[in-house]
Amino acid sequence: MTAVLEISGLQKTYRSRKGARKALDGFDMVVEAGQVHGFLGPNGSGKTTTLRTLLGLIKPNGGRMTILGREVPQHLPEVAGLVGAIVESPQFFGNFTARETLSLLADAGGVDQRRVDAVLEVVGLRERAAERVKTYSLGMKQRLAVASALLKEPKFLILDEPANGLDPGGIREMRTLMRTLSDSGMTVLLSSHILAEIQLICDSVTIIAAGRRVAAGSVAEVLAEHRSTKVKVRLEPGVDMFGAAQALRAAGAEVTLEQDHFIVGNASRPAQITRLLAGHQIFVSELTPVTVDLESVFLQLTGTAPVEGANRQVDDVAATAGNGWGQ
Amino acid sequence: MGTVSLFKAETRRLAKRRFSRYFVLGAVLVLVAVAIGMFVSNEKPTPAVIAQAQAEADRYFQEQTGYAAEEKKRCESLTPEQMKQQYGEGFTCDQLGQLQREDVQIQDFMPSQFDFRENFPGMVTTLAAILAMVAFVVGASFIGAEWNSGGMMNLLLWRPRRLQVLSTKLAALVVSLIGLTVTLSAVWTGLFWVIATMRGTTAKMTSGAWQSIGLLELRGMVLVLAAGMIGFGLASIGRHTAMALGAAIGVIVVFQFGLAVVLQVARVRFAEAYLLPFWGIAWLEKEWEVLDYNAPCDFSAVNGCEPPSMVITWQMAGIAMLAVVGLVTMAAMWTMRKRDIT
């Protein structure tokens, strides 16, 4: 598979009177052709800086980036026609209608005006196209932003929080749209905080924290990388749970008792549990591995899981997989 | 092709903006009001009007002659002592003024008429001043609102050549302003030609007079373009319309009113030379003579005591205007090229 996007060692430092702040600290990312790639990270981790740098809006302090095989920002004008993008919240001139907005963009980009109605249809704004953008809800502006990105029939689509402000139906439509676009051969880079969505529609992900990549690969690979060895054990009703826990602890297991079951923390070979308990005439009614989802991996990798009684600050981010991929 | 389509898009964008439309419409309404005022306050010297003025002049002459005769009669009735007291030593009643018929000019009793050759240059200056203000505000808003609304960032995602985008936007503004100024100047000239025909005179309009008006209108257009480019440049540097408007208000308040007071208090020589409006007048009227009342006067046997003077020529004003426009435009380009778009 060929890479549509390659970023290596990207650096960006913001300097102000208060001092310097590293927004990107040697960030790496690869997006393969035809994939829907999720780009995840907590607030202030460098996602938007990465996208803006990629699109030539911010000048990097170091690193290398290529889009569709062309080095950017040097060759950005040559590939800009093939890249559709929305960055952060959709921003349009409020007094123009959706059709005027897209028509002006089509003129500016030398795109056939017939594309305007086509993309309005795709994003579901056909019947509201003659209304001023300032009367639109956030979700409708988001749809218009996606329409503007699709206008030039891009090969590579960059969407920053496209589901922001959409209702549940809109989120599902967006998901279907992403899949349809990907099936048509378009590569999609999707930045989002809705991790369940990312898990559902993305083929691969990159997770960024504190300006560095902390995980990357297919969703399955990232989950497998952080696969849990925990096993949930439930016994027949009335069976002595404490006795069973004691027997397992005596064999070296880490056991955490819950109300009607217990968790074995280091169960790399779950069969051992049934064998050991059967030896004590204790029979297991349920033995299930504790699965991880993208959200728990994200919280673990970025160190942003809420801690009871503590108010986490935006900059309290830990790139916990400092020795992981790409480091 | 690419730049042409961008230019077309930007020209469309400028024309579609409600702010531009309303501001131009407002200016047109002001200009119409000026034209109506000139039409109403002038009158053509028809035979009836001339006859009426002649009658008024005659009546005035008769009145004044009557008053003079009464005064002479009263004077002659005075005793030598009273004469001396009222008129001074050696005064005779024959010395009392006697109004001559040629002293009463019919023109003084005629309603004013619009003399195209005489009065139209003032109207061109009015047009240029109003359009310059429109150009400044529309130019500033054109780019300022784009930055403010995020439209500029959107555009740069499509055309990631910053200088080309800014230059094309500026070109769209300049070409649109040229179109607006040429159109309005033509209509303005036509309108006042009609006013002069109906309420005054179009006499003495030689080819030289037309050439002079043409050049004045050309200088007016350059002033309009300079104002538009300065507004555009300032708003682009500040990335907000308010930046340009704030700078304009700052210049007016600090550098004109404030500076004028300071210069007056400090008795600075040729104080008017530091104030922008006089440079504008010099540009349009070809020159402006600055008199220095704070300096000892130049004495000559012929003219007596005259204050020293300095002439600001249109060439000097043009160079100064070019320097300001160049500086602001270059600064706008430099910030566009260098600064991150966040």
Side-chain angles (χ1 to χ4, degrees):
Chain A
M1 228 185 267
T2 53
V4 166
L5 170 68
E6 278 181 287
I7 297 176
S8 63
L10 192 61
Q11 305 218 359
K12 176 66 188 177
T13 303
Y14 289 113
R15 295 177 199 285
S16 67
R17 286 178 196 161
K18 291 176 185 171
R21 187 178 66 81
K22 274 189 175 178
L24 293 172
D25 188 10
F27 177 68
D28 304 300
M29 178 154 72
V30 177
V31 177
E32 303 288 355
Q35 289 197 334
V36 179
H37 188 95
F39 186 25
L40 315 177
N43 294 334
S45 59
K47 287 195 306 293
T48 301
T49 299
T50 303
L51 298 183
R52 283 176 187 266
T53 308
L54 197 57
L55 295 164
L57 300 173
I58 290 177
K59 286 194 173 67
N61 299 112
R64 188 174 167 272
M65 301 177 288
T66 62
I67 295 178
L68 297 163
R70 306 287 290 164
E71 199 141 329
V72 292
Q74 298 90 317
H75 299 286
L76 190 58
E78 294 155 36
V79 291
L82 302 170
V83 180
I86 55 171
V87 183
E88 266 190 330
S89 53
Q91 298 181 350
F92 297 103
F93 193 61
N95 281 322
F96 287 170
T97 66
R99 182 170 279 113
E100 281 171 346
T101 302
L102 295 178
S103 168
L104 285 168
L105 278 176
D107 260 356
V111 170
D112 188 342
Q113 287 289 338
R114 279 173 296 189
R115 283 289 300 157
V116 172
D117 283 323
V119 292
L120 283 168
E121 175 73 36
V122 169
V123 300
L125 283 177
R126 186 192 58 214
E127 286 168 14
R128 307 288 293 273
E131 292 175 22
R132 287 211 182 102
V133 173
K134 69 178 177 189
T135 66
Y136 278 17
S137 67
L138 179 60
M140 288 166 71
K141 284 180 188 166
Q142 201 71 49
R143 287 167 189 260
L144 179 58
V146 174
S148 73
L150 291 175
L151 200 56
K152 47 187 165 180
E153 295 183 277
K155 283 188 173 171
F156 182 35
L157 187 62
I158 299 172
L159 302 174
D160 194 4
E161 297 288 348
N164 200 10
L166 292 182
D167 54 27
I171 292 176
R172 181 169 287 193
E173 283 167 19
M174 192 62 73
R175 189 194 306 158
T176 311
L177 178 64
M178 298 297 116
R179 193 35 71 195
T180 311
L181 294 173
S182 172
D183 290 346
S184 71
M186 197 182 291
T187 307
V188 182
L189 175 62
L190 184 64
S191 154
S192 177
H193 282 123
I194 308 175
L195 299 172
E197 278 299 309
I198 292 279
Q199 194 166 348
L200 270 174
I201 61 176
C202 289
D203 305 301
S204 54
V205 292
T206 296
I207 301 179
I208 182 173
R212 283 183 283 163
R213 181 168 75 177
V214 292
S218 71
V219 174
E221 279 168 3
V222 171
L223 293 177
E225 188 86 1
H226 298 86
R227 190 181 58 216
S228 164
T229 55
K230 289 178 182 172
V231 173
K232 179 182 172 184
V233 182
R234 196 187 298 273
L235 304 176
E236 291 282 320
V239 175
D240 179 14
M241 205 162 70
F242 296 102
Q246 214 163 9
L248 288 170
R249 279 177 183 145
E254 293 169 5
V255 181
T256 310
L257 288 170
E258 303 286 344
Q259 197 165 1
D260 59 349
H261 65 275
F262 58 85
I263 303 287
V264 179
N266 53 347
S268 53
R269 292 165 60 199
Q272 287 278 23
I273 298 171
T274 51
R275 188 177 302 130
L276 194 85
L277 293 180
H280 287 79
Q281 295 300 303
I282 299 171
F283 298 101
V284 172
S285 66
E286 183 187 336
L287 185 73
T288 44
V290 176
T291 56
V292 289
D293 58 8
L294 204 51
E295 184 171 295
S296 55
V297 171
F298 176 86
L299 294 174
Q300 182 201 334
L301 287 172
T302 59
T304 52
V307 178
E308 206 173 318
N311 296 318
R312 187 180 67 82
Q313 301 304 301
V314 172
D315 288 333
D316 295 345
V317 175
T320 55
N323 298 319
W325 288 68
Q327 300 300 318
Chain B
M1 162 63 197
T3 310
V4 171
S5 62
L6 182 60
F7 177 81
K8 185 181 152 201
E10 291 310 314
T11 313
R12 268 182 71 203
R13 191 192 306 275
L14 179 62
K16 271 182 178 290
R17 297 195 62 231
R18 283 197 309 171
F19 185 85
S20 315
R21 288 179 180 181
Y22 288 164
F23 222 77
V24 170
L25 182 67
V28 168
L29 289 177
V30 169
L31 291 171
V32 168
V34 170
I36 290 173
M38 294 308 287
F39 184 86
V40 171
S41 60
N42 286 288
E43 207 169 322
K44 197 169 180 67
T46 57
V49 170
I50 295 169
Q52 194 185 346
Q54 186 66 59
E56 276 184 40
D58 290 346
R59 190 164 55 246
Y60 178 79
F61 178 70
Q62 296 301 334
E63 272 175 17
Q64 294 302 314
T65 309
Y67 294 146
E70 278 178 30
E71 183 63 18
K72 192 169 184 186
K73 200 181 282 178
R74 196 184 65 80
C75 176
E76 285 166 350
S77 68
L78 295 175
T79 62
E81 197 59 36
Q82 287 172 318
M83 280 279 285
K84 190 180 172 187
Q85 200 175 359
Q86 282 191 21
Y87 297 106
E89 187 78 46
F91 186 83
T92 64
C93 291
D94 291 335
Q95 284 178 276
L96 279 171
Q98 180 69 41
L99 188 68
Q100 302 301 309
R101 185 62 188 86
E102 59 270 24
D103 292 338
V104 182
Q105 295 287 321
I106 185 172
Q107 286 89 331
D108 298 335
F109 297 88
M110 292 273 287
S112 72
Q113 60 165 336
F114 190 85
D115 184 335
F116 193 86
R117 184 188 166 114
E118 194 74 24
N119 303 129
F120 186 62
M123 294 298 102
V124 175
T125 304
T126 306
L127 175 73
I130 290 172
L131 286 185
M133 192 185 69
V134 170
F136 183 88
V137 177
V138 168
S141 156
F142 180 46
I143 188 77
E146 283 287 295
W147 276 115
N148 201 28
S149 70
M152 194 65 173
M153 192 185 81
N154 242 352
L155 190 59
L156 288 170
L157 294 180
W158 280 70
R159 307 293 295 248
R161 291 184 196 271
R162 296 187 187 189
L163 290 186
Q164 191 195 49
V165 166
L166 194 69
S167 309
T168 310
K169 267 185 177 291
L170 183 59
L173 175 72
V174 167
V175 170
S176 302
L177 286 176
I178 290 174
L180 179 74
T181 312
V182 167
T183 308
L184 285 181
S185 296
V187 172
W188 196 238
T189 309
L191 195 62
F192 277 94
W193 182 260
V194 172
I195 290 173
T197 308
M198 294 173 71
R199 315 288 272 188
T201 176
T202 55
K204 292 185 272 178
M205 282 309 294
T206 57
S207 62
W210 277 115
Q211 191 184 28
S212 172
I213 285 175
L215 287 172
L216 176 60
E217 287 183 332
L218 190 64
R219 288 200 301 278
M221 188 172 77
V222 172
L223 183 72
V224 171
L225 297 183
M229 289 175 79
I230 291 170
F232 180 93
L234 289 175
S236 187
I237 293 166
R239 297 187 175 180
H240 205 292
T241 310
M243 161 70 184
L245 302 185
I249 291 167
V251 166
I252 290 167
V253 172
V254 177
F255 283 95
Q256 298 308 301
F257 299 131
L259 192 62
V261 172
V262 170
L263 294 173
Q264 196 68 29
V265 170
R267 299 179 65 79
V268 171
R269 298 202 60 188
F270 299 108
E272 282 181 353
Y274 295 90
L275 304 176
L276 285 179
F278 297 106
W279 288 80
I281 295 169
W283 170 251
L284 289 174
E285 296 185 354
K286 290 203 274 194
E287 62 175 42
W288 178 257
E289 189 179 15
V290 183
L291 297 175
D292 184 11
Y293 293 103
N294 292 328
C297 65
D298 294 333
F299 185 82
S300 75
V302 183
N303 298 319
C305 188
E306 285 191 330
S309 69
M310 182 186 101
V311 175
I312 303 173
T313 62
W314 68 270
Q315 290 94 332
M316 287 161 70
I319 289 168
M321 191 159 61
L322 192 69
V324 174
V325 170
L327 207 66
V328 170
T329 306
M330 279 196 298
M333 293 291 172
W334 187 82
T335 53
M336 180 71 173
R337 191 181 152 83
K338 288 285 174 190
R339 277 170 61 189
D340 286 342
I341 297 161
T342 52

